[in-house]
Amino acid sequence: MLFPRLFLLLGLASPLAAADFDLVVYGGTPAGLSSGIIAAREGASVVVIEPTNWIGGMVTGGLSRSDVGKEDTIGGFPREFFARAAAAKPDTPMWYAEPRVNLSTFQTMLQEAGVKVVTAQSLKSITQEGARITGLTTNDGTTYHGKEFIDATYEGDLMAAAKVSYIVGRESTAQYGEPLAGYHPMPIRPRTIEVMESDCPSIGGKGPSYIHGTPTSISGLDAQGKPIFGIFPDPKLSPGSADKLTQSYNFRICVTQRADILVPFPKPASYDPAKYELLLRLIQAFPGVRFGRLFHLGNVANGKYDLNAQGLFSTDYPGTNFDYPDGDAATRARIWQDHTDFIQGMLWFLGHDERVPQSLREQANSWGLCKDEFADNAHWPYALYVREGRRMIGEYVQVQKDLQTDIFKDDSVGMGSFLIDCHIVQRILAEDGTVRDEGSFQDTPALPYQIPYRSLTPKRTECENLLVPVCLSASHIAYCSLRMEPVYMALGHASGLAAVMAIKAKTPVQNIDVPALRKKLLEHKAVLELASLASMVRSAKLPGIVMSEQEAEQIGHWIGSAYGSPVDGSSIHDANTEKGTKSVIYRMKIPTAGKYEVRVSYASAPNRACNVPVIIEHTKGTQTVLVNQRKAPPIDKLFVSLGTFTFSADKPAVITISNKDTDGIVGADAVQLIMAN
């Protein structure tokens, strides 16, 4: 979809040959608007430049049921915005305002703050002096000079133009020691789950549950033995290998069953039913599957729902977005239009293809677009959901441990808490010709974690007057949790304040007074820490050598949990499934040879196994100790002792927790080694 030129500059009548501002924000996303409004409130002159016709990114462009994680981690500007949007119209839940209400709320806040906004103008070039950006020129030839710049785009276009280091794709497990990193083929996880009927009459029934993964064995080949549409050959990578692929994109669609505002789903001009063969096979594998099991329908307000992807085949369009992050305008427009046609075609297929059961066709046709949303775009959402574009490699790279174990940061300027959620990267053929989901997971929890200011700043040698609150410095795995709009907005809030501080101090953004920034954020009611975390047992504070389950190698599919009082706030369990195929291997470096007491922690419960094998590999051989996880550890201890063993310094101690032949749920938390006297 190519955007027609539209110029909107709040407070100005026509384009300028040149304009001077304290702060130039590129990207009218919620983070960009947050940073611009905050900086303007602090007295800065601000312009926000948005390459599309519409401001507000996903929050005004389709994603109306915001993912918030733990609500008590959200304060400052994002809480102010969502509270104002909810109050703008009766019967609107907090966080879940309609897209047009979110848009009008942003417009009001921008006008109140005096922020100038330019739309439909993309970045053409920049000028630099040393490590400083001095100007940004848009396609119409206007140059915007600024003292500070913020890249708030989903793609990271300004930072790329400034030659700031970045990455597209997935790191390997070895690069940052992240167990979830890299190429990640998913096994078939059979499930047929009975779902309670909700307040929405088309939600419910039997079918694949709201988790990613392949729910049953489905052939990915046509009659000639070739892959059907959307299925890719297995790249034959080792699990955990790096590549340049990103998780799938989609549109978050505002839908309704209200007859007074319902617009039927359109049929795209390029409609091709062959593109939905896998969807048809999924429907046939789950007779009676309902519309509300193929999609995630989140209730918003006033009879509207946010339709999102779930499961193996939905509005996600895996494998078609890989060229987008680094793509030029034509490439991105092609991908945008392809996603529009594919998703519209899917909804049309479900409502009209005679191979689809009549009941499912009737359910699909009972839904439609909303007449009072996106009226200037044929009621289709404005924003393609770019879940992951470029990611900066800045002063500090956040990785998996920063979300689960090393969660405290002295320079925290915001918090995240959403689970580590990655949508399908690609669908691949297994050796037997069946389909496998690759790259997805969404049942790995994150603790409420602090986000360091250093992750918003480029390396100081690369650029000293740029802040990046969206394509911030994080690994693929960390970004899978960070990538939530309230988090972006909180980081935009911090970036707006930091930019003003850098201007006033005439210093690089890397050198601002971060304690003063944190103080100012707290005055603005931002959330930088949670008192509830003070009582959490932290592995870094325990004696001896401690390794959490997140640092260990996990074999098979383990489920994350915060049940009990686990070390570092999380543990895992085997869900009492696939016995004999799952294990957790702790390889612990021994600094000094000698005898060590081996201890394990776990959450006890009546449904836990009483015969969990823990295998200890030591200098004298291997010993297996059975642990009764139905029995709680001693009250005055976190761990159960398995005995004393001798380890050498030239090889790691290896402790393995297995679920072989166990008679209940097997849990795994931390392992501790205490040197014996």
Side-chain angles (χ1 to χ4, degrees):
M1 181 184 297
L2 291 171
F3 302 109
R5 283 205 164 198
L6 172 65
F7 186 84
L8 172 62
L9 183 58
L10 300 182
L12 296 179
S14 61
L16 302 174
D20 296 328
F21 295 90
D22 292 323
L23 175 62
V24 177
V25 179
Y26 187 61
T29 63
L33 303 183
S34 170
S35 61
I37 291 168
I38 290 296
R41 288 176 180 176
E42 295 293 305
S45 59
V46 180
V47 62
V48 175
I49 303 167
E50 165 56 36
T52 74
N53 289 344
W54 305 285
I55 61 169
M58 290 303 301
V59 170
T60 64
L63 196 164
S64 45
R65 188 175 176 88
S66 299
D67 294 315
V68 297
K70 292 180 171 57
E71 291 187 23
D72 54 358
T73 62
I74 304 172
F77 184 89
R79 184 169 285 273
E80 175 192 356
F81 168 81
F82 283 108
R84 288 182 63 163
K89 192 171 180 180
D91 302 319
T92 299
M94 181 67 171
W95 317 113
Y96 302 155
E98 298 155 80
R100 64 192 182 101
V101 174
N102 286 335
L103 176 58
S104 64
T105 302
F106 271 131
Q107 290 172 330
T108 298
M109 297 176 80
L110 288 162
Q111 290 170 343
E112 290 172 351
V115 176
K116 299 185 186 301
V117 178
V118 177
T119 60
Q121 291 299 324
S122 58
L123 170 64
K124 181 179 180 181
S125 62
I126 65 170
T127 54
Q128 294 174 279
E129 292 180 3
R132 296 185 65 84
I133 303 171
T134 57
L136 184 158
T137 300
T138 54
N139 279 346
D140 68 349
T142 304
T143 297
Y144 300 88
H145 298 293
K147 298 173 184 175
E148 302 294 328
F149 291 79
I150 290 175
D151 184 344
T153 62
Y154 293 121
E155 297 86 0
D157 287 340
L158 177 55
M159 73 171 186
K163 307 301 182 184
V164 167
S165 298
Y166 68 86
I167 184 174
V168 173
R170 298 181 286 188
E171 297 89 352
S172 69
T173 54
Q175 183 165 346
Y176 296 121
E178 298 174 298
L180 289 175
Y183 176 68
H184 192 76
M186 298 291 290
I188 291 177
R189 294 157 64 185
R191 55 192 182 271
T192 301
I193 296 178
E194 188 71 38
V195 180
M196 296 296 293
E197 295 287 343
S198 74
D199 58 349
C200 172
S202 290
I203 299 176
K206 291 183 178 181
S209 66
Y210 178 44
I211 53 176
H212 307 313
T214 309
T216 191
S217 180
I218 300 176
S219 173
L221 299 172
D222 63 15
Q224 288 72 44
K226 296 180 180 180
I228 60 176
F229 183 85
I231 310 301
F232 297 86
D234 187 341
K236 304 296 184 182
L237 295 174
S238 299
S241 297
D243 60 24
K244 296 187 180 298
L245 309 186
T246 57
Q247 60 181 306
S248 51
Y249 301 168
N250 75 341
F251 282 91
R252 296 286 288 263
I253 311 169
C254 190
V255 298
T256 189
Q257 290 180 311
R258 282 176 50 188
D260 59 323
I261 61 169
L262 187 148
V263 176
F265 294 128
K267 180 181 181 180
S270 63
Y271 175 69
D272 180 2
K275 292 182 178 180
Y276 311 106
E277 176 63 29
L278 179 59
L279 173 59
L280 180 63
R281 295 180 185 188
L282 180 67
I283 293 168
Q284 292 169 343
F286 290 93
V289 66
R290 299 178 67 86
F291 185 84
R293 298 307 297 146
L294 296 173
F295 307 102
H296 181 250
L297 288 159
N299 191 6
V300 182
N302 300 304
K304 297 177 183 178
Y305 288 76
D306 181 336
L307 186 150
N308 191 20
Q310 67 175 353
L312 176 66
F313 198 109
S314 195
T315 55
D316 282 349
Y317 194 12
T320 61
N321 61 332
F322 300 152
D323 293 336
Y324 186 93
D326 269 328
D328 60 16
T331 298
R332 290 179 180 175
R334 172 183 56 77
I335 292 171
W336 186 296
Q337 190 62 52
D338 187 32
H339 278 69
T340 300
D341 293 343
F342 177 79
I343 297 169
Q344 289 182 352
M346 178 192 312
L347 295 169
W348 181 267
F349 174 85
L350 287 171
H352 297 86
D353 195 291
E354 293 185 355
R355 295 171 295 174
V356 175
Q358 182 177 349
S359 62
L360 181 54
R361 277 183 277 150
E362 291 173 353
Q363 293 164 36
N365 290 326
S366 74
W367 292 92
L369 306 178
C370 300
K371 183 186 298 184
D372 58 349
E373 298 287 353
F374 319 118
D376 56 349
N377 197 44
H379 312 292
W380 189 253
Y382 297 144
L384 177 66
Y385 195 178
V386 179
R387 291 192 176 95
E388 192 173 11
R390 301 177 176 103
R391 299 188 310 280
M392 180 171 65
I393 303 173
E395 289 280 283
Y396 182 86
V397 179
Q398 294 178 88
V399 298
Q400 185 174 343
K401 67 181 179 63
D402 294 302
L403 281 55
Q404 296 177 316
T405 55
D406 187 16
I407 62 172
F408 298 98
K409 300 292 183 291
D410 291 338
D411 60 339
S412 166
V413 291
M415 295 195 72
S417 63
F418 202 76
L419 52 77
I420 302 175
D421 177 21
C422 187
H423 285 243
I424 299 174
V425 173
Q426 57 189 331
R427 300 189 191 100
I428 60 175
L429 275 178
E431 290 185 2
D432 63 359
T434 59
V435 178
R436 293 293 187 279
D437 159 2
E438 191 280 309
S440 71
F441 41 80
Q442 69 168 176
D443 48 16
T444 301
L447 294 173
Y449 55 89
Q450 296 178 318
I451 302 170
Y453 177 68
R454 292 163 290 161
S455 290
L456 308 183
T457 61
K459 296 173 183 176
R460 62 189 64 226
T461 57
E462 295 182 345
C463 192
E464 62 180 36
N465 67 335
L466 175 67
L467 291 153
V468 185
V470 177
C471 295
L472 67 159
S473 183
S475 70
H476 163 72
I477 296 302
Y479 202 80
C480 287
S481 171
L482 287 161
R483 61 176 185 83
M484 305 300 154
E485 295 295 341
V487 174
Y488 291 155
M489 294 166 77
L491 300 181
H493 186 162
S495 296
L497 286 179
V500 173
M501 292 177 64
I503 292 170
K504 291 180 177 179
K506 297 181 179 179
T507 189
V509 293
Q510 294 86 354
N511 293 347
I512 67 163
D513 186 343
V514 176
L517 170 61
R518 286 168 46 82
K519 180 180 178 183
K520 190 75 172 180
L521 284 166
L522 291 173
E523 291 173 359
H524 288 190
K525 299 182 180 180
V527 178
L528 307 184
E529 58 187 351
L530 293 182
S532 60
L533 295 177
S535 61
M536 186 183 73
V537 179
R538 297 171 58 185
S539 58
K541 300 294 184 180
L542 293 172
I545 307 167
V546 182
M547 177 178 284
S548 75
E549 81 289 349
Q550 299 298 344
E551 300 170 290
E553 179 184 0
Q554 298 177 21
I555 306 298
H557 185 71
W558 293 79
I559 306 296
S561 173
Y563 174 71
S565 300
V567 174
D568 292 325
S570 69
S571 64
I572 55 177
H573 64 81
D574 73 339
N576 205 23
T577 62
E578 301 174 23
K579 295 299 185 180
T581 66
K582 301 182 182 183
S583 59
V584 184
I585 305 172
Y586 302 77
R587 293 184 174 88
M588 307 173 71
K589 185 177 180 180
I590 303 299
T592 305
K595 292 184 177 181
Y596 290 81
E597 181 185 3
V598 178
R599 301 174 177 180
V600 295
S601 62
Y602 58 87
S604 63
N607 61 353
R608 298 280 168 149
C610 68
N611 59 341
V612 177
V614 181
I615 303 103
I616 301 107
E617 298 178 34
H618 51 93
T619 57
K620 298 182 179 180
T622 300
Q623 183 169 335
T624 299
V625 179
L626 297 182
V627 176
N628 183 359
Q629 293 192 349
R630 296 174 191 168
K631 181 179 179 181
I635 294 175
D636 61 339
K637 292 184 178 180
L638 294 166
F639 295 83
V640 167
S641 176
L642 305 185
T644 300
F645 303 87
T646 301
F647 300 102
S648 63
D650 60 348
K651 57 186 292 188
V654 180
I655 291 88
T656 301
I657 297 174
S658 169
N659 74 342
K660 183 178 180 181
D661 299 327
T662 50
D663 58 3
I665 294 174
V666 173
D669 189 18
V671 171
Q672 181 184 39
L673 304 182
I674 300 291
M675 195 167 193
N677 294 328

